[in-house]
Amino acid sequence: MEIDLAPKAPKGLFAGDGGSYSSWTPDDLPMLRVASIGAAKLTLNSRGFAAPSYSDSSKVAYVLQGSGVCGLTVPEATTEKVIKIKEGDALAIPFGFVTWWFNPNDSDLAILFLGDTSKGHRPGQFTDFHLTGPTGIFTGFTPEFVSRAWDLSQSDVSKLVHDQSNAGIVKLKVGQKMPEPSDKDRDGLVVNCLEAPLDVDIKGGGCVVVLNSKNLPTVESVGLGADLVRLHGGAMCSPGFSSDSAYQVTYVVRGSGRVQVVGVDGKRVLETKVSGGQLFIVPRFFVVSKIADPEGMEWFSIITTPNPVFSHLAGRTSVWKAISPEVLEAAFDTTPELEQLFRSKRTSDEIFFPPK
């Protein structure tokens, strides 16, 4: 498989007083097209507002920094859900949901979007449909059609649709009122990965929170799973692979470390250093391992199945511990003594290995 797996940073598509929007493109990161995955980042400055839009792709949104408000309108619903969001929050957003985002605070709000573009217009890229602004859907209809649809005069339609110059991300004036968020609207839609119970916690090694259909039911609708991993300084993440034919899409939130990926015929297809802000994708069934630099490394990943299954090739839960000694002796063409030594190691360590 000859394809560029090197980690990449996003490219800016828009920047203004309200904030910015950047994305990763298949031209820069070819695996996006191969895996039909989209990736983008929204940053809202103080009082920045991303106007209502919907997408052709299901997504998982992860709040990288800051806090703010998100509005979601489910298809055929008569009311919207208004949710307070903060760093560590993850939301699963099926395609067709109308969303808006607002930052009422002084510090920036940054949100990562990773999603499935297999049903989208452009494999490997999100296509967003704005409801307002100069590229809004209704700018394409004639005033007559809009007037009939909304039961308004054509002059009022012109004010609402054709006289708008604001882009999709704007800075709202001080005093502009916005809906108040409701705590109950978070139920079933949001999980905070920094506060949720840990699925794995290895002292000196690392910890992980897994998002699946049990703790975030909407991931079933988007067809994706996700996790947040924090690897301690100098620790290693066991070599492993997705055993259910899923791609792993990884965004480094903070810190840095080394990554190796091995593919078909034992060929090392990636050996590099990754750092905060970069994204890379591991092909199906390829084996990946990471070692954190001294400051540690944190990453957020999606997996292209809602309930992912991983096989590890080192540690207490590795496949080596399940295979019989005789088979290992024959496969490695080694002595019983060396096989026993091999089997005796990593009997208590699981997934994350602290530095010696």
Side-chain angles (χ1 to χ4, degrees):
M1 184 176 183
E2 296 295 335
I3 195 165
D4 181 13
L5 300 181
K8 297 292 195 311
K11 287 188 174 180
L13 299 181
F14 172 85
D17 291 340
S20 61
Y21 185 82
S22 55
S23 98
W24 288 262
T25 68
D27 291 338
D28 293 328
L29 196 60
M31 276 301 300
L32 290 172
R33 185 178 290 110
V34 174
S36 289
I37 292 294
K41 181 180 176 182
L42 170 68
T43 301
L44 294 178
N45 303 335
S46 178
R47 301 202 58 79
F49 172 59
S53 66
Y54 63 93
S55 178
D56 66 349
S57 305
S58 297
K59 305 175 183 177
V60 173
Y62 180 72
V63 182
L64 298 169
Q65 71 176 80
S67 61
V69 180
C70 169
L72 297 99
T73 302
V74 181
E76 300 183 358
T78 56
T79 58
E80 68 180 352
K81 293 183 180 294
V82 182
I83 301 168
K84 186 176 182 179
I85 56 173
K86 61 181 180 179
E87 182 178 344
D89 277 352
L91 304 82
I93 306 172
F95 53 72
F97 277 43
V98 175
T99 62
W100 55 262
W101 310 83
F102 176 57
N103 177 16
N105 305 302
D106 293 333
S107 56
D108 288 351
L109 169 64
I111 305 159
L112 174 73
F113 298 97
L114 302 174
D116 174 17
T117 67
S118 61
K119 294 181 174 66
H121 290 276
R122 299 176 295 173
Q125 286 184 279
F126 298 134
T127 300
D128 296 321
F129 295 84
H130 300 280
L131 299 189
T132 61
T135 59
I137 288 294
F138 283 91
T139 61
F141 286 101
T142 62
E144 177 196 0
F145 270 60
V146 182
S147 176
R148 288 282 298 275
W150 290 353
D151 192 22
L152 291 174
S153 69
Q154 291 195 21
S155 62
D156 287 335
V157 165
S158 181
K159 294 175 184 176
L160 286 175
V161 177
H162 299 287
D163 293 345
Q164 300 297 315
S165 59
N166 291 332
I169 303 173
V170 298
K171 186 180 184 72
L172 297 186
K173 297 176 182 178
V174 175
Q176 173 75 53
K177 291 185 177 181
M178 293 294 285
E180 290 294 327
S182 170
D183 289 339
K184 69 177 182 179
D185 284 347
R186 285 177 60 94
D187 295 343
L189 291 175
V190 185
V191 170
N192 188 278
C193 297
L194 301 178
E195 299 174 354
L198 299 173
D199 292 280
V200 177
D201 186 12
I202 306 298
K203 184 178 180 180
C207 58
V208 59
V209 169
V210 177
L211 302 179
N212 52 38
S213 58
K214 293 180 181 178
N215 57 8
L216 190 60
T218 45
V219 301
E220 194 80 49
S221 300
V222 303
L224 302 168
D227 58 28
L228 178 72
V229 178
R230 284 169 281 177
L231 193 61
H232 296 174
M236 180 183 198
C237 183
S238 166
F241 64 96
S242 173
S243 51
D244 49 7
S245 187
Y247 293 95
Q248 301 174 58
V249 185
T250 298
Y251 174 84
V252 182
V253 177
R254 56 179 56 88
S256 61
R258 291 179 290 147
V259 176
Q260 291 188 1
V261 177
V262 175
V264 179
D265 295 329
K267 182 180 179 181
R268 189 187 316 123
V269 293
L270 180 66
E271 181 176 13
T272 190
K273 180 171 181 174
V274 293
S275 56
Q278 292 184 319
L279 181 119
F280 66 98
I281 301 175
V282 178
R284 294 179 296 179
F285 299 110
F286 282 33
V287 178
V288 59
S289 183
K290 310 174 186 75
I291 297 177
D293 286 339
E295 74 270 25
M297 183 165 61
E298 179 179 326
W299 64 85
F300 183 81
S301 296
I302 64 164
I303 303 93
T304 56
T305 179
N307 295 292
V309 178
F310 288 96
S311 293
H312 295 278
L313 298 177
R316 181 176 63 84
T317 59
S318 74
V319 297
W320 300 119
K321 304 303 184 194
I323 297 176
S324 61
E326 295 83 359
V327 171
L328 288 185
E329 286 179 34
F332 281 126
D333 189 21
T334 190
T335 63
E337 292 78 16
L338 186 53
E339 188 282 329
Q340 186 175 15
L341 175 65
F342 174 71
R343 185 177 295 274
S344 69
K345 301 297 183 179
R346 299 290 189 204
T347 56
S348 59
D349 298 325
E350 180 183 357
I351 302 179
F352 304 126
F353 308 141
K356 292 184 179 180

